[in-house]
Amino acid sequence: RPHRLFVSYRRRAPARPAGEDGSPPSGPGTTGGVCCYELGGLRIPGQSSSSASGRSGSGSGSSARPPVVSARHDVDGRDCASSALAGGVAPPPRPPAAWLGAPNGDEGEDEDGDAARPGFAVARPDGVHLYSSAERVGLVPVDGAKVAMCSLPPPPVVYLRRPLRPPPSGAETDGADSAGAAGAAGGGPPPSPSAVPGSGASYTLVTTSDAKSNRDVLDVYDGTNRLVGFHALLSPGHRALRCAGVASRPVVEDGDVVRGGRSSAVVLTSGGSIVTLTERATPDKVDLLLQKNLYAAAISLAYSDPQSYRPRDVVDLYRRHAEHLYRRGDYAGSMDRYVLTIGSLEPSHVVFRFLDAPRVRLAARYLTALRDAGLAAPVHDELLRTILLKIGDGEAAAGIAPA
């Protein structure tokens, strides 16, 4: 995989005298932009110092071997006002290959997918612009005059109990059983505790100047779930100068996680103080998101933290999300979540909610998924056959033998 180097630059254009065609003179200005260099794995062979000094030289000097620049992509033609307003974006989590079930240790890396992911961010007056290696891929609307920004690196995650994959049909089993099943599928035991980068969220800290209060504002933006996770004002008389992101490693003792890793942001202010913002524990963040009915974000966080949430816990969040959508009248969306609970939730709890005429097709969809998972009882097959005949799908009903 090629290495990528993002560069934001600013050049001062010299003053231009009046042209012969009568064009007015122009004063000095600035130009710049953002570009990405793709650095290949090959290296240019350099010339040693002994060769350069002549054939009679006996010294053994080291050669300079710069990386090969295979391509340059200009992703933006606007300059960056300050180096404090640009920085790299932490990559998404990449679990071990054994948890993904990839053969021969192949993690299934998709270079095309990597090229489309944000790798660099620049804060501009209209917001934070996100860039991939080839183009601008997003804009985070953040108001106010930008002072500084930084990306918070995700802490390492320890995968001890279960693979990082969607809950299987038999998700009622605990985490240890799931891990054992994954190891058996891969032809060997599950891997020993290991830490890999990633916590399921990509955070960016942006400091802005609020004109109304004449104070600087700290905003932490969750790029994975696309929401503002934290908002605060600095104390009066304190201005943000620089900020940086750090991450702590998890603590593992006797095969158990004692304390998970956390992402933190450090802000240096003009008042001589250092402000530290530390990520909350995953259960606390999930509870806050559930209180705001942000179920999709809560499931994403819970699913990405195998240290705190077993498969049965994630499936229970799917059930709560399904019931929330059902109460709102989004029956199709509710069924999408109920299908993910197959194997852990009693089927009658779901089917009886969708047996009336407007929603009976959704009941047929659930029973079909239950049958495909090999968990359908004869009564479920008979009910599915009856529903298919009722909605006029005789061909599908003929494929189900009567009980």
Side-chain angles (χ1 to χ4, degrees), residues 122-130 139-149 204-209 217-222 227-228 230-231:
V122 176
R124 302 189 187 279
D126 55 344
V128 178
H129 293 253
L130 304 176
L139 170 65
V140 181
V142 180
D143 297 330
K146 312 303 181 295
V147 178
M149 65 153 288
T204 302
L205 171 67
V206 182
T207 63
T208 58
S209 179
V217 182
L218 305 180
D219 286 305
V220 178
Y221 180 77
D222 183 350
L227 53 85
V228 177
F230 181 81
H231 175 85

Side-chain angles (χ1 to χ4, degrees), residues 290 295 315-325 327:
L290 292 178
Y295 286 90
V315 170
D316 184 65
L317 291 177
Y318 280 125
R319 177 191 61 80
R320 295 175 62 178
H321 192 193
E323 294 175 350
H324 171 71
L325 294 175
R327 290 191 297 267

Side-chain angles (χ1 to χ4, degrees), residues 160-209:
L160 297 175
R161 293 287 181 253
R162 67 177 176 89
L164 188 63
R165 61 172 64 197
S169 58
E172 185 62 29
T173 58
D174 60 13
D177 294 337
S178 297
S192 58
S194 60
V196 298
S199 65
S202 177
Y203 299 108
T204 302
L205 171 67
V206 182
T207 63
T208 58
S209 179

